[in-house]
Amino acid sequence: MHIKNERRCLVCKQNFQKKDLLRIVKYLDDISIDDTNKKNGRGVYLCNNKECISKCIQKKYLNKSFSCAVPDSVYEALRCKIE
Ligand SMILES: [Zn+2]
């Protein structure tokens, strides 16, 4: 069954409600965490929990998702979410 506003976490590949996920957005060359859910650009989603966030940081999942070198500052910002 398709539930509205579901998105897939890029780490665990499970579907969740958008509101339970962190959105990370690439717009032009700028990559940032979208706390407002309103930023322009291409977004990927990530569970807002320690497990998926730390895996994402360790394995640099965002580099793969965005096919580019994601700045450490983005991973740092993610790390702040779980500390
Ligand atoms: Zn996840």
Side-chain angles (χ1 to χ4, degrees):
M1 192 176 76
H2 180 75
I3 300 170
K4 216 179 147 194
N5 283 330
E6 271 202 341
R7 291 294 184 278
R8 197 164 73 144
C9 168
L10 67 99
V11 175
C12 64
K13 314 287 188 201
Q14 310 264 353
N15 288 328
F16 296 99
Q17 290 284 299
K18 235 168 132 178
K19 62 179 170 58
D20 296 325
L21 297 165
L22 283 175
R23 183 172 185 245
I24 299 121
V25 172
K26 184 183 183 194
Y27 182 66
L28 304 177
D29 282 332
D30 185 53
I31 297 170
S32 59
I33 297 171
D34 180 13
D35 288 314
T36 60
N37 255 313
K38 283 176 187 147
K39 284 190 187 176
N40 285 324
R42 192 162 86 78
V44 297
Y45 293 85
L46 174 65
C47 292
N48 195 359
N49 67 38
K50 207 169 179 169
E51 213 187 323
C52 285
I53 290 175
S54 56
K55 241 188 207 175
C56 177
I57 297 166
Q58 270 170 23
K59 307 258 185 194
K60 295 193 181 288
Y61 270 84
L62 294 176
N63 293 28
K64 211 187 279 176
S65 296
F66 289 124
S67 306
C68 71
V70 174
D72 285 343
S73 59
V74 175
Y75 288 107
E76 272 309 309
L78 279 178
R79 199 187 304 274
C80 289
K81 299 265 180 203
I82 52 172
E83 273 170 2

